[in-house]
Amino acid sequence: MARPGHARSPPSLEADEDEEDPVDAMISRTGCVAQHQELQECMAARQDWRHCQPQVRAFGECMARRQRAEEPRRASGSRQARPSPAGD
């Protein structure tokens, strides 16, 4: 007798296509979608990241700008979330 869960059918390919890729979702939140797309297109055409250095740099710089912009918000948010030292 088969154990429960082993008789399940594999997920359909259609369900996979409908779900957004988590990496794509993260990149779309960064605002660096255009740079990422250009890098992906270069990688598809050239098949070697070393030939796509301008695109790699542009994407990296965009992500770095986004990270720098978020640092002040993270710092202020972490201070507000801490409990008071008196334990109130």
Side-chain angles (χ1 to χ4, degrees), residues 10-83:
S12 71
L13 293 177
E14 289 177 15
D16 289 343
E17 291 175 3
D18 290 342
E19 294 178 22
E20 186 175 19
D21 179 46
V23 174
D24 289 340
M26 185 265 315
I27 292 170
S28 69
R29 288 191 300 269
T30 67
C32 300
V33 176
Q35 293 85 349
H36 183 256
Q37 183 66 32
E38 288 177 18
L39 176 56
Q40 292 295 313
E41 289 173 4
C42 180
M43 290 288 295
R46 304 298 296 272
Q47 300 291 311
D48 188 344
W49 65 270
R50 293 173 292 187
H51 295 286
C52 300
Q53 287 306 295
Q55 293 85 353
V56 170
R57 279 191 292 279
F59 181 58
E61 289 168 4
C62 182
M63 293 296 285
R65 280 191 303 271
R66 170 68 179 206
Q67 188 174 10
R68 284 190 302 269
E70 284 189 2
E71 284 175 358
R73 283 188 282 177
R74 285 186 191 155
S76 66
S78 64
R79 276 185 254 136
Q80 292 172 352
R82 290 186 193 147

